[in-house]
């Protein structure tokens, strides 16, 4: 950031003016460092508090899935389910990205702007694709649908858990750099 600080010291001694500015800036720097360290520390505490719950939830979902699979004595539909889940997640990610891009563009443009209209068209197209995908899923046998839903929950929970682990690692690195 530029021009965060300006000062006027009425003195005939230029060294005094420099010393005053240096002292103020060093106090500001120390304040900022404490603020950032507190934020990092709070984030670290939050992640460490949430991580066991995330792991527990993930393990519970996997355990429920395995129990159901054993109880239903189902075949492994893994490849078909994986393909469906990957397609759906890509479409959902694309939709999320488009909504985010639209929100960013709405900061600059109105709803009538060509870029906003283009994104709205892309959103409509992706929503239709997702709806068509959901129709395909409803045509699957009921047991496959149930396991497809289980697989999806497992993947989502796994992604959340892994993202928390990554964030924990990032915050610990930031903290180490600050020490």
């Amino acid at each position: 950031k530029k021009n965060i600080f300006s000062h006027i010291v009425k003195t005939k001694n230029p060294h005094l003016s420099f010393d005053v500015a240096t002292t103020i800036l060093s106090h500001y720097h120390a304040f900022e460092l404490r603020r950032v360290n507190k934020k990092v520390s709070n984030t670290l505490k939050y992640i460490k508090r949430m991580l066991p719950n995330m792991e527990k939830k993930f393990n519970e979902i996997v355990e429920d899935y395995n129990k159901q699979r054993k109880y239903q004595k189902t075949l492994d539909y893994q490849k078909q389910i994986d393909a469906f889940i990957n397609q759906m997640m890509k479409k959902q990610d694309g939709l999320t990205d488009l909504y985010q891009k639209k929100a960013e563009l709405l900061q600059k443009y109105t709803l009538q702007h060509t870029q906003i209209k283009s994104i709205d068209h892309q959103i409509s197209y992706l929503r239709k694709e997702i709806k068509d995908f959901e129709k395909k899923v409803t045509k699957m046998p009921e047991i496959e649908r149930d396991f497809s839903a289980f697989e999806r929950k497992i993947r989502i929970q796994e992604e959340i858990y892994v993202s928390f682990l990554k964030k924990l690692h990032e915050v610990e690195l930031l903290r180490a750099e600050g020490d």
Side-chain angles (χ1 to χ4, degrees), residues 37-77:
N37 282 338
K38 184 176 181 181
K39 185 177 179 181
V40 166
S41 180
N42 288 341
T43 303
L44 199 55
K45 286 177 189 174
Y46 172 75
I47 291 171
K48 285 183 177 182
R49 188 177 73 236
M50 295 302 291
L51 212 49
N53 294 333
M54 295 290 165
E55 184 178 20
K56 181 181 176 193
K57 192 171 184 178
F58 174 70
N59 289 335
E60 286 172 356
I61 290 171
V62 171
E63 187 177 322
D64 287 346
Y65 172 78
N66 288 333
K67 283 179 186 176
Q68 282 293 332
R69 191 164 199 92
K70 186 176 180 180
Y71 175 75
Q72 295 291 337
K73 297 179 183 159
T74 59
L75 299 173
D76 191 2
Y77 298 108

Side-chain angles (χ1 to χ4, degrees), residues 54 58 61 85 88-89 92 149-163:
M54 295 290 165
F58 174 70
I61 290 171
I85 290 172
M88 182 62 139
M89 291 182 92
Q92 290 289 356
F150 258 124
E151 288 281 339
R152 188 167 179 215
K153 283 181 184 178
I154 288 171
R155 288 258 169 80
I156 290 169
Q157 196 60 42
E158 182 180 36
E159 284 184 18
I160 292 170
Y161 181 66
V162 168
S163 72

